């Protein structure tokens, strides 16, 4: 299925086809994800929907469940798909995926190493960012996560698999065997263990990013980066999104703020012309 189904006017006028991820939105704005098939019998809180009644309909169509509840059907965006697709591990949320792609300067044509894969949420964002001329090499220790990520990628209609290579193995052991890598993105509990291998694999000037939920993990990683001769000073950030309620009666912050999900640490591999002095690496004990 062509990725054109998700772009411009064509996405609005093409009827739904079997195999597509579709979002149903009910009267309470709850969202449900389904992969269309003729055999689909999808259970919402307000009854069932049948795939044969949806295939051939246009996005935005009003449908009625077996109990008469009205729902709208739309093609899933990547954000919706990532949030609602099957998961075996906690996924990196869209707010952090977008920041990782921008902050890590993941560009079309880049070769990116990722570890681990989890359910494939970050993988999808990286694959879209590297474009048709780029490549993502993913490492994962758990075969069940690899299988789930393959399934989730296979159900996404852009067909990004051709630019993806997944390896069942330990990135700490295999990074040093790689070279000419543009970016490394680590979603691991111990990213400091990967620094030596990353120094071998990354191009000079290439970025390493780590995603961790715990301050103690970040503290240990920062200390390791500051002690490593091949990396420049680390930067730490986190993304907090504050949604607002916007209707005819209300315009105020939502009570459900999308707060902490993980910390991001970024460091750049030094260029050969840069000395590895420890200038500015000890801190001055002051403020900004």
């Amino acid at each position: 299925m062509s990725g054109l189904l998700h772009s411009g006017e064509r996405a609005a006028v093409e009827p739904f086809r079997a195999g597509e991820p579709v979002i149903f939105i009910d009267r309470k704005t709850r969202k449900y994800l389904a992969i269309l098939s003729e055999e689909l019998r999808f259970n919402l809180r307000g009854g069932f929907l049948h795939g044969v009644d949806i295939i051939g309909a246009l996005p935005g169509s009003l449908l009625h469940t077996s109990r008469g509840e009205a729902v709208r059907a739309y093609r899933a965006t990547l954000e919706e798909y990532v949030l609602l697709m099957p998961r075996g591990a906690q996924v990196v949320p869209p707010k952090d995926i977008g920041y990782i792609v921008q902050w890590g300067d993941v560009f079309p044509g880049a070769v990116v190493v990722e570890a681990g894969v989890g359910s494939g949420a970050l993988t999808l964002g990286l694959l879209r960012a590297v474009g048709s001329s780029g490549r993502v090499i993913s490492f994962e220790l758990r075969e069940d996560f690899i299988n789930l990520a393959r399934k989730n990628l296979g159900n996404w209609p852009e067909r990004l698999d051709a630019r993806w290579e997944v390896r069942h193995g330990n990135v700490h052991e295999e990074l040093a065997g790689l070279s000419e890598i543009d970016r490394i993105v680590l979603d691991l509990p111990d990213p400091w263990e990967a620094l030596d291998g990353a120094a071998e694999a990354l191009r000079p000037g290439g970025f390493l990013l780590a995603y961790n939920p715990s301050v103690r993990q970040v503290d240990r990683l920062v200390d390791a980066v500051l002690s490593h001769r091949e990396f420049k000073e680390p930067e730490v950030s986190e993304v907090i999104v504050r949604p607002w309620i916007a209707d005819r009666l209300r315009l105020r912050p939502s009570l459900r703020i999308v707060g902490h999900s993980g910390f991001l640490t970024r460091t750049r591999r030094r260029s050969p012309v840069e000395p590895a002095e420890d200038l500015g690496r000890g801190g001055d004990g002051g403020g900004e």
Side-chain angles (χ1 to χ4, degrees):
M1 191 178 304
S2 171
L4 290 175
L5 292 175
H6 284 262
S7 63
E9 296 179 359
R10 180 165 180 158
V13 299
E14 284 279 353
F16 291 125
R17 302 178 185 177
E20 287 193 273
V22 173
I23 292 291
F24 304 118
I25 304 178
D26 67 15
R27 59 186 174 83
K28 294 187 177 181
T29 68
R30 291 176 297 217
K31 292 184 178 182
Y32 309 83
L33 173 70
I35 307 300
L36 281 184
S37 70
E38 292 186 355
E39 298 78 23
L40 177 69
R41 185 174 183 265
F42 190 76
N43 186 17
L44 293 82
R45 296 187 187 183
F48 294 97
L49 289 171
H50 297 275
V52 290
D53 299 326
I54 304 164
I55 294 171
L58 292 175
S61 292
L62 182 67
L63 307 171
H64 289 87
T65 71
S66 57
R67 295 182 185 174
E69 290 286 334
V71 298
R72 294 278 180 186
Y74 300 92
R75 284 195 171 89
T77 66
L78 186 57
E79 178 209 14
E80 291 166 332
Y81 184 72
V82 162
L83 286 173
L84 297 173
M85 70 186 188
R87 59 180 68 181
Q90 185 65 35
V91 301
V92 180
K95 71 181 181 69
D96 293 325
I97 294 174
Y99 193 68
I100 288 170
V101 168
Q102 287 291 313
W103 208 40
D105 191 35
V106 181
F107 56 91
V111 179
V112 179
V113 166
E114 174 204 24
V117 174
S119 303
L122 178 56
T123 311
L124 279 161
L126 293 172
L127 286 168
R128 178 181 266 187
V130 301
S132 58
S133 59
R135 188 160 58 108
V136 175
I137 305 169
S138 300
F139 289 89
E140 176 56 61
L141 288 172
R142 292 182 52 170
E143 286 194 44
D144 56 333
F145 284 175
I146 291 175
N147 292 334
L148 179 58
R150 280 195 174 121
K151 183 177 180 181
N152 284 335
L153 262 71
N155 283 332
W156 182 247
E158 286 182 72
R159 297 296 182 254
L160 303 172
D161 312 58
R163 62 191 78 165
W164 186 45
E165 178 185 350
V166 60
R167 301 185 184 183
H168 181 215
N170 190 333
V171 71
H172 300 324
E173 298 172 358
E174 300 194 43
L175 255 183
L178 300 176
S179 61
E180 303 299 308
I181 302 300
D182 297 299
R183 304 289 184 260
I184 296 175
V185 183
L186 304 175
D187 182 8
L188 301 172
D190 53 354
W192 49 88
E193 297 289 349
L195 289 180
D196 287 342
E200 296 287 332
L202 269 177
R203 296 177 185 268
F207 284 116
L208 179 146
L209 284 87
Y211 185 77
N212 295 108
S214 165
V215 170
R216 291 182 178 177
Q217 290 170 306
V218 175
D219 183 51
R220 186 164 178 181
L221 175 59
V222 165
D223 188 63
V225 171
L226 290 171
S227 301
H228 203 290
R229 295 179 60 85
E230 290 295 328
F231 289 100
K232 295 181 68 64
E233 292 79 358
E235 302 168 81
V236 179
S237 184
E238 83 178 305
V239 179
I240 296 175
V241 175
R242 188 187 190 190
W244 280 54
I245 296 173
D247 57 31
R248 292 187 182 277
L249 298 176
R250 300 168 297 174
L251 185 59
R252 63 168 176 79
S254 170
L255 297 178
R256 295 183 179 181
I257 293 176
V258 186
H260 173 76
S261 49
F263 297 103
L264 280 163
T265 305
R266 177 178 74 171
T267 182
R268 189 195 300 261
R269 190 192 168 193
R270 289 181 178 274
S271 164
V273 300
E274 293 181 275
E277 293 115 343
D278 288 331
L279 296 177
R281 292 195 161 206
D284 59 9
E288 292 291 312

